[in-house]
Amino acid sequence: QVQLVESGGGLVQPGGSLRLSCAASGNIVSINGMGWYRQVPGKEREWVATITTNGRTNYADSVKGRFTISRDNAKNTVYLQMNTLEPEDTAVYYCNAVISSARGYQNYWGQGTQVIVSS
């Protein structure tokens, strides 16, 4: 059973920083792309950033220059460093990964971690 577990969310003031983590565990053969998405009530889930196996990154325009995605392949973990946070960044953040296990390649989601940016 493969699962993704996020941590690091919370309440932060505008201009502050948070670091999200997402660890994959279970019967993992390999992990391809990993990424972060976010969702606010009443809106569709929004892509934030992705990182390939060899470290190539892409970001949504809304977070470019403020957020940094990274990964530790030895720990099967992806991170999202969020700086200069704005109230508009308030959302539930979900990690995503394409993982190969005994079942073949599948797309997995974490349970989500809440980020609130407010004074």
Side-chain angles (χ1 to χ4, degrees):
Q1 185 90 8
V2 173
Q3 61 176 354
L4 300 176
V5 178
E6 298 121 334
S7 60
L11 172 64
V12 63
Q13 292 187 343
S17 298
L18 279 176
R19 189 192 194 206
L20 306 182
S21 299
C22 173
S25 62
N27 188 18
I28 296 171
V29 174
S30 63
I31 303 178
N32 282 4
M34 305 183 82
W36 290 94
Y37 292 71
R38 65 187 182 186
Q39 189 170 23
V40 297
K43 292 189 176 182
E44 291 187 356
R45 193 167 294 188
E46 173 190 30
W47 167 69
V48 175
T50 49
I51 184 168
T52 65
T53 304
N54 58 11
R56 187 169 61 191
T57 59
N58 279 293
Y59 298 92
D61 288 343
S62 58
V63 307
K64 202 171 292 184
R66 300 188 298 121
F67 291 10
T68 302
I69 188 171
S70 60
R71 64 191 284 174
D72 185 332
N73 292 330
K75 295 182 179 179
N76 291 335
T77 299
V78 63
Y79 305 95
L80 187 68
Q81 177 66 44
M82 304 185 295
N83 298 328
T84 319
L85 282 160
E86 303 168 352
E88 293 73 23
D89 296 316
T90 295
V92 178
Y93 283 72
Y94 297 89
C95 71
N96 172 266
V98 177
I99 298 175
S100 175
S101 67
R103 295 185 171 186
Y105 279 101
Q106 287 187 292
N107 194 35
Y108 292 88
W109 292 93
Q111 82 286 355
T113 185
Q114 177 75 58
V115 171
I116 300 174
V117 184
S118 176
S119 55

